[in-house]
Structures are given as C-alpha cells and as structure tokens.
Amino acid sequence: MRELPVAVLLTIAFNCAIAALLTLVGFGGTFLENLVYSQSIGLTVLLVVHAGWRIAWSGARPPAGPMAALVALGILAGWLGGTALAAAILQQSWRPAHSGGAVLAITAAAGLAGTFFFWTRERAAQLERQSAEAQLRLLQAQVEPHFLFNTLANLQALIGTDPRRAQAMLEHLNGY
C-alpha cells in the first residue's frame, strides 16, 4: 500500500499535463474545466485499477490477461464515473454521449500509458528486490564457511587448554 501515495502524485502530475495539452490543442473548455475532468477521470481509473489489483491479487503481480480486463474496467469506470464526478464538481449537466468517443479515446490512451508505466515500474522494483535477495544469499553462503572454520579452529585450540570449554562450545555449535 505504500506505493499508492506515489502513484496518486504521479497520476495527478500526468493528469495536469493532459489538461494542459487538451487546453493547448483547443479540445474544449477552459484549463480549469479540463483539469477537473482529467483529475476526476485519471484518479478514478487509478483507484479502480489499484483497488482491484490489491483485492484480487493481494499486491502480487497479476497475470496479464486478468490485469488487462481490470484496466479495461478501470478505463470504463474512469470514463463514466470520472466524467459524472467532474460534471457534478463543475455543476454541469452530465451527458456521456457528448464528446463521448473522444473522451473515451483519451481516457483509454492515458489509462493504457499509465498502466504500462506503473506495470513496468513494479516489475523493475520486483527485479531489484530479487537481485538484492540473491546477493544476500550469496553473501550468507560465503560467510557461513568462514564462521565454521573459525569455530573449528577455536575448538582445536580449546581442546588442549580448556577441554571443558571446548565441550561446551561443541554443544553450542551442535545446537546452532
């Protein structure tokens, strides 16, 4: 769950860029209106996909097919729910058919781009964790023979000078 705040911040930044681009190309509406729609749609997509991922797969990496279906559901929910939310915030009448195809296309493109970004980011983090774990196992495999060698050398020295301590050390080694 700790990656959700980062994902929200990145999504907000991405949504701001979409709103600016839509305003620059004259898609319609003011920057504020485009910003409200972009944030409402984008955050709805993020929350549907993220919540579905966490609920269905407990944060584990989901299979590609079901994840694609979840993303499609998130895009649909973002398009319908996000536009309804934005219309309510802006006190406009909600008409999903009005600019529906264009808004849906933008939502789909942005949703797929965002999903690809977070999917590859998650995969890179997973590979980094696996690499760190493999390095730790390698280090442990190198340290354990040195530990055993040093313990046996100490036992050899104690046998001649303090057999009782050598016996206790051998018992501790067996317990370990």
Side-chain angles (χ1 to χ4, degrees):
M1 245 356 222
R2 70 177 192 270
E3 68 277 347
L4 181 59
V6 173
V8 169
L9 289 175
L10 290 171
T11 302
I12 288 171
F14 186 61
N15 294 339
C16 288
I18 291 171
L21 182 65
L22 291 175
T23 305
L24 285 174
V25 299
F27 181 74
T30 66
F31 174 73
L32 179 62
E33 290 172 330
N34 287 330
L35 182 65
V36 170
Y37 274 94
S38 294
Q39 295 298 348
S40 298
I41 293 168
L43 290 172
T44 301
V45 172
L46 172 71
L47 293 177
V48 168
V49 171
H50 191 83
W53 177 13
R54 297 299 174 209
I55 291 168
W57 296 284
S58 302
R61 187 166 175 83
M67 184 65 184
L70 178 60
V71 170
L73 176 66
I75 288 169
L76 185 62
W79 175 55
L80 292 174
T83 56
L85 176 62
I89 291 170
L90 294 171
Q91 298 178 344
Q92 297 175 344
S93 62
W94 180 58
R95 296 172 291 166
H98 179 72
S99 299
V103 174
L104 179 59
I106 293 167
T107 302
L112 292 172
T115 300
F116 177 77
F117 172 79
F118 288 116
W119 182 270
T120 56
R121 189 169 174 257
E122 176 71 22
R123 179 69 179 144
Q126 181 183 25
L127 290 174
E128 191 173 317
R129 279 191 301 276
Q130 289 173 344
S131 174
E133 289 170 4
Q135 288 175 344
L136 180 60
R137 284 191 300 272
L138 179 62
L139 183 59
Q140 286 174 332
Q142 291 172 348
V143 170
E144 288 178 12
H146 293 293
F147 167 77
L148 183 58
F149 174 79
N150 290 339
T151 304
L152 291 175
N154 285 332
L155 271 174
Q156 185 179 20
L158 283 176
I159 287 173
T161 60
D162 193 350
R164 207 176 294 173
R165 278 183 60 204
Q167 182 65 35
M169 187 177 194
L170 186 58
E171 288 172 9
H172 288 298
L173 181 62
N174 284 337
Y176 176 72

